[in-house]
Amino acid sequence: MCAIRARVEQLKLLVGRLSGLFFRNLYDALSGQKSSSAEEAVHYSGKSHTKCIGRSIETRPDFFESPFIGKIGWFKVVSHMIPDLPNVNIKRNVEQFIVFFENPELRADGLKIYKTLVCGGAELYELWKTGRYKSSSFTNRLCRRMCAIRPCSNTRVLG
């Protein structure tokens, strides 16, 4: 855990240093202005016809250890979860969602749930064709339950 915290602290420093310059240049490019700071660039951008209205880091929740780092860099953090992957049983899928919702370190601004798709030519297709992969209705059941419990404004089901 100490190693993760050290990485988080290093990343916070790096994000802090780079984000001001990066976003100043991003907003200046959109507004056509030449700003002296990120805050000034955001001000000009607010009056521009072309605006940057959102910046997101989209990743698996277990890959990006600490979504609050994204918020330091003015990003929204959106986690992706894909239930029903091969070699992942329903019990493990449920455990992953419990960890996601109960672990404050994994709190994100949004969640995208993707259905596992079986597409011709893919390795998963070969597993499915030979009977070694069978999808379940886990994703559909999960989404129905989530919509019954929580508002779905930040939850999209893709697939």
Side-chain angles (χ1 to χ4, degrees):
M1 196 63 159
C2 290
I4 291 174
R5 289 200 195 286
R7 279 184 53 202
V8 166
E9 291 305 315
Q10 288 174 340
L11 190 52
K12 283 166 59 176
L13 288 171
L14 180 62
V15 167
R17 287 187 201 133
L18 297 179
S19 66
L21 180 62
F22 174 82
F23 288 113
R24 185 193 75 196
N25 291 339
L26 169 71
Y27 283 114
D28 281 351
L30 293 172
S31 71
Q33 299 291 324
K34 184 83 169 138
S35 307
S36 60
S37 69
E39 290 77 17
E40 185 179 32
V42 169
H43 173 75
Y44 286 135
S45 175
K47 298 177 182 181
S48 174
H49 291 288
T50 306
K51 295 177 178 32
C52 177
I53 59 166
R55 298 167 302 275
S56 297
I57 294 173
E58 299 197 8
T59 184
R60 291 185 356 215
D62 60 337
F63 183 77
F64 194 61
E65 290 107 347
S66 198
F68 72 85
I69 293 171
K71 295 173 187 172
I72 291 169
W74 302 353
F75 288 96
K76 290 180 183 176
V77 177
V78 180
S79 291
H80 294 207
M81 296 186 81
I82 308 171
D84 284 337
L85 289 172
N87 301 319
V88 179
N89 61 30
I90 289 178
K91 181 181 178 198
R92 186 162 164 221
N93 280 316
V94 170
E95 288 169 355
Q96 289 173 338
F97 278 91
I98 289 170
V99 168
F100 175 79
F101 285 111
E102 291 184 355
N103 184 341
E105 291 288 313
L106 298 177
R107 293 275 154 72
D109 298 303
L111 171 63
K112 292 183 182 179
I113 301 170
Y114 292 84
K115 290 184 177 183
T116 302
L117 298 177
V118 178
C119 302
E123 190 176 322
L124 184 59
Y125 177 77
E126 297 303 317
L127 293 173
W128 172 78
K129 197 165 82 174
T130 59
R132 292 180 290 159
Y133 171 75
K134 291 182 176 26
S135 65
S136 71
S137 60
F138 178 80
T139 305
N140 290 331
R141 288 180 297 155
L142 171 74
C143 293
R144 278 196 298 275
R145 288 187 180 152
M146 285 180 65
C147 288
I149 296 169
R150 300 169 173 259
C152 288
S153 61
N154 287 341
T155 305
R156 287 181 20 197
V157 179
L158 305 174

